[in-house]
Amino acid sequence: MALSLGEGGGGGGSRLRRQLESGGFAAGEYVKQLSQQSDGDRDLQEHRQRIQALSEETAQSLKRNVYQNYRQFIETAREISYLESEMYQLSHILTEQKGIMEAVTQALLLQADRDDPALGARRAAAADPFLPLSGKDAAANEEGRQRTLTTLLEKVEGCRDLLPESPGKYLVYNGDLVEYDADHMAQIQRVHAFLMNDCLLVATALPNRRGAYRYDALYPLDGLAVVNVKDNPPMKDMFKLLMFPESRIFQAENAKIKKEWLEVLEETKRNRALSEKRRLEQEALPRPAPTPPESTNPFDEDEDEEEEDEPSAEEEVVDLSLEWIQELPEDLDVCIAQRDFEGAVDLLDKLNEYLADKPVSQPVKELRAKVDERVRQLTDVLVFELSPDRSLRGGPRATRRAVSQLIRLGQSTKACELFLKNRAAAVQTAIRQLRIEGATLLYIHKLCHVFFTSLLETAREFETDFAGNNGCYSAFVVWARSSMRMFVDAFSKQVFDSKESLSTAAECVKVAKEHCKQLSEIGLDLTFIIHALLVKDIKGALQSYKDIIIEATKHRNSEEMWRKMNLMTPEALGKLREEMRSCGVGNFDQYTGDDCWVNLSYTVVAFTKQTMAFLEEALKLYFPELHMVLLESLVEIILVAVQHVDYSLRCEQDPEKKAFIRQNASFLYETVLPVVEKRFEEGVGKPAKQLQDLRNASRLMRVNPESTTSVV
């Protein structure tokens, strides 16, 4: 026989592993050789078991390696994300440095032109032969550029209302581009882009009209970033426009046009920023008070003297030329892109603190409008972070970052709502992932542990996050009630809908109550809620079990022969004594006779054990809303036995059997009923008047020899 079949232990396993891992392994030849060398089915079965064990060992090893490297995978992905954002920042910084260098060069050239006007004129003429040489020519050039802009925009449908005519707006550059999908790099459409001095208009070509376009999008240059896309044939001559939270990729006709687009976009952005900065600086300068015209009224002199005594109150001017205020919108975009939510909110707090005691001027309103747009974007990102569609792993602490920043933004109500929705989805997912297997009680233990642990963690995290927002606590109580309803639905479906025994249901409810009491550690008592939600199912279970006992008792009554019990062995008699003692019947020995005889009928003994077992299980389920249901069920069960004994006394004619029936009736009235009353009062905390009335009426029972009915 082959060595591969006869080998055993670790050495055989390692040789089999090497054989299967070899580069020239052929499965067909291996199976053919194995079949030829096998002595029988048993050898093949053993070899199959060894291969299966090797497969399981390999799977476990692979799983361990995945688990060990899982954190490294996550860290690597995070580092890649950080690296991508840093590369974007680096590209942005390099572009700014390039702009600064060009601005410095132009400043040096301007200084040289001032020193030597003739040289400056020659350089300007060489650089641009069409450069206007007078104010009149400049006005004509400006008018021509606006006329060109108007002519071009007349070809674009739907942009007339979006681009109101203003004296400072003019066309800088335009051209045809091809748009590609950012994810799959598939061609989407052909577009025509119009670059103006303050915005970029993108229009799509109309298919049936040559030279006509339809409006597609309009992007302000303040929130626009241009990124060069490295050529990767056949994808080349492309550049990307970043407008948070979206991005678009365009392809130019050739490398030269692409370079022109990149340069003119950057230059226009830079000029726009410089002009905006100059405008803010000019607005920040104090304006001289206008000189009033000289009055010829001699009576105005006295009024002028009085007005000179009062100091003129000049309006306070808000200085928005600070560098951090100028860069605030872009810094907010960077923070949002890098998911630096804390940094973004810190910048907003800094701005609000700076503008808290400043007057609301037009520049402040414009700045507020830009910042409010970023606040909406930041809020949308934080809302998405808390949405149930995101990963629910990490527990409630994973939401703390987004919740705290929403609260700092003044969105505590929205933060509370989203936090509770997120936790509700997490709890529901955890319950659904529980596998229903094994005994019902085992599943209920798992269900209670998962639900109440999640509820407790959520309550503690809620108390930490919303410590200063007392108005949100009512929302948490409402959420806890709805979560408890979801838990009770899963609980009832497994315990009550599956028709489990009353003892199993009682143990399950007991487990749920014990877990619910854990919430009292944080001052949250939901016991009354779980009682209110379970009362209907528990009533149904009690009534169902009551009907089973009544049917079983009636069936035994129909076969009653009123004979003493013979247990045959002392062991059986001792077992019955223990059972009756556990039921609370302490004087059972006076009803035992010689040898293994019991001076009671089987029906009465079985009824006693079944009734006391029902009472014990029902008391485990007891709470005040079930008082009358439990009491009425006990009365109905006892009446079945009492009426049967009463009827038998009326109908039996044999004196010996009649005496035996009276002995059983005495056991019921003087032993069983008092035990039921006592145990009920111990479990409930107050006596049951209905049980006392039933026992007293049974004692006053009178037998009418002429009647065959019983009235208790």
Side-chain angles (χ1 to χ4, degrees), residues 513-581:
K513 287 182 180 179
E514 290 176 352
H515 278 82
C516 191
K517 290 179 181 178
Q518 295 178 359
L519 300 178
S520 60
E521 298 177 4
I522 58 171
L524 184 64
D525 187 7
L526 300 179
T527 307
F528 69 99
I529 295 180
I530 198 171
H531 285 172
L533 295 175
L534 286 175
V535 64
K536 182 179 178 181
D537 292 325
I538 296 178
K539 281 182 179 179
L542 290 176
Q543 292 173 353
S544 176
Y545 201 69
K546 173 204 70 177
D547 294 338
I548 293 174
I549 294 177
I550 289 176
E551 288 298 322
T553 304
K554 287 181 178 180
H555 178 71
R556 288 193 297 268
N557 290 344
S558 65
E559 299 177 353
E560 179 62 77
M561 302 298 294
W562 293 113
R563 295 177 180 175
K564 297 180 180 180
M565 293 177 62
N566 185 5
L567 298 178
M568 308 300 291
T569 61
E571 291 79 6
L573 180 60
K575 182 179 179 181
L576 180 61
R577 284 197 184 100
E578 289 297 327
E579 290 176 351
M580 299 305 288
R581 190 176 294 109

Side-chain angles (χ1 to χ4, degrees), residues 22 81 368:
S22 61
S81 176
R368 284 288 189 188

Side-chain angles (χ1 to χ4, degrees), residues 355-613:
L355 298 177
D357 53 352
K358 303 293 190 299
V360 182
S361 59
Q362 185 61 29
V364 173
K365 291 181 180 179
E366 294 177 0
L367 178 62
R368 284 288 189 188
K370 295 179 182 179
V371 172
D372 289 344
E373 179 63 27
R374 271 72 176 185
V375 171
R376 283 192 291 272
Q377 295 173 2
L378 176 60
T379 303
D380 292 341
V381 174
L382 293 174
V383 167
F384 179 70
E385 287 293 312
L386 291 174
S387 64
D389 298 334
R390 298 280 288 169
S391 177
L392 299 174
R393 296 179 180 177
R397 292 187 179 180
T399 63
R400 181 181 297 178
R401 185 183 179 205
V403 168
S404 61
Q405 301 314 313
L406 276 177
I407 293 174
R408 291 179 62 189
L409 290 174
Q411 303 279 347
S412 58
T413 303
K414 181 178 291 187
C416 176
E417 178 185 357
L418 294 171
F419 172 77
L420 294 179
K421 283 184 179 179
N422 181 281
R423 296 311 305 151
V427 172
Q428 188 174 10
T429 302
I431 291 177
R432 286 179 179 176
Q433 289 177 350
L434 280 178
R435 298 180 61 183
I436 303 176
E437 58 183 3
T440 301
L441 186 59
L442 179 61
Y443 171 78
I444 294 301
H445 271 288
K446 294 180 180 178
L447 176 64
C448 292
H449 175 73
V450 168
F451 174 76
F452 286 102
T453 301
S454 299
L455 196 62
L456 188 61
E457 291 177 352
T458 301
R460 288 172 175 166
E461 185 63 26
F462 187 90
E463 191 174 7
T464 301
D465 293 344
F466 299 92
N469 297 274
N470 296 330
C472 297
Y473 280 85
S474 58
F476 175 77
V477 174
V478 174
W479 174 84
R481 181 181 179 85
S482 63
S483 299
M484 186 67 75
R485 185 177 292 108
M486 177 179 60
F487 163 75
V488 169
D489 289 342
F491 181 92
S492 299
K493 187 180 296 184
Q494 188 66 21
V495 175
F496 296 107
D497 294 352
S498 59
K499 304 299 181 183
E500 292 288 342
S501 64
L502 189 64
S503 60
T504 302
E507 288 297 327
C508 293
V509 172
K510 181 181 177 182
V511 170
K513 287 182 180 179
E514 290 176 352
H515 278 82
C516 191
K517 290 179 181 178
Q518 295 178 359
L519 300 178
S520 60
E521 298 177 4
I522 58 171
L524 184 64
D525 187 7
L526 300 179
T527 307
F528 69 99
I529 295 180
I530 198 171
H531 285 172
L533 295 175
L534 286 175
V535 64
K536 182 179 178 181
D537 292 325
I538 296 178
K539 281 182 179 179
L542 290 176
Q543 292 173 353
S544 176
Y545 201 69
K546 173 204 70 177
D547 294 338
I548 293 174
I549 294 177
I550 289 176
E551 288 298 322
T553 304
K554 287 181 178 180
H555 178 71
R556 288 193 297 268
N557 290 344
S558 65
E559 299 177 353
E560 179 62 77
M561 302 298 294
W562 293 113
R563 295 177 180 175
K564 297 180 180 180
M565 293 177 62
N566 185 5
L567 298 178
M568 308 300 291
T569 61
E571 291 79 6
L573 180 60
K575 182 179 179 181
L576 180 61
R577 284 197 184 100
E578 289 297 327
E579 290 176 351
M580 299 305 288
R581 190 176 294 109
S582 64
C583 291
V585 180
N587 60 345
F588 184 72
D589 290 339
Q590 70 183 36
Y591 295 98
T592 58
D594 298 335
D595 296 333
C596 299
W597 289 90
V598 177
N599 297 327
L600 295 172
S601 70
Y602 168 76
T603 301
V604 173
V605 172
F607 168 79
T608 302
K609 294 193 293 184
Q610 204 166 18
T611 302
M612 294 306 300

Side-chain angles (χ1 to χ4, degrees), residues 226-369:
V226 186
V227 178
N228 182 23
V229 178
K230 185 178 180 181
D231 290 347
N232 186 17
M235 302 302 174
K236 59 181 182 178
D237 304 329
M238 291 184 173
F239 59 92
K240 181 186 290 188
L241 297 181
L242 301 177
M243 304 78 59
F244 185 84
E246 60 177 323
S247 63
R248 300 176 71 171
I249 293 181
F250 298 99
Q251 184 183 45
E253 186 176 351
N254 51 50
K256 179 181 178 182
I257 296 179
K258 170 189 173 181
K259 182 179 179 181
E260 291 178 357
W261 269 109
L262 294 176
E263 291 178 351
V264 76
L265 277 169
E266 289 297 335
E267 184 177 359
T268 307
K269 282 187 61 181
R270 184 168 57 254
N271 294 336
R272 171 67 177 171
L274 290 174
S275 62
E276 186 71 15
K277 185 176 181 180
R278 290 195 205 99
R279 184 181 66 82
L280 293 175
E281 289 176 351
Q282 291 176 358
E283 291 179 354
L285 294 175
R287 298 180 180 178
T291 305
E294 296 183 0
S295 176
T296 59
N297 188 352
F299 298 100
D300 290 342
E301 296 178 359
D302 298 335
E303 296 179 1
D304 294 340
E305 292 176 358
E306 294 178 358
E307 291 178 358
E308 287 176 0
D309 296 337
E310 298 178 0
S312 59
E314 296 183 357
E315 292 186 359
E316 183 182 357
V317 178
V318 183
D319 184 11
L320 298 181
S321 61
L322 299 176
E323 183 179 359
W324 69 271
I325 293 181
Q326 294 294 318
E327 297 178 355
L328 182 64
E330 294 184 359
D331 289 342
L332 288 175
D333 289 338
V334 172
C335 289
I336 295 173
Q338 294 179 347
R339 301 172 58 81
D340 183 11
F341 307 136
E342 295 83 358
V345 179
D346 289 341
L347 288 175
L348 292 173
D349 290 344
K350 184 178 179 181
L351 177 65
N352 293 332
E353 183 179 355
Y354 179 75
L355 298 177
D357 53 352
K358 303 293 190 299
V360 182
S361 59
Q362 185 61 29
V364 173
K365 291 181 180 179
E366 294 177 0
L367 178 62
R368 284 288 189 188

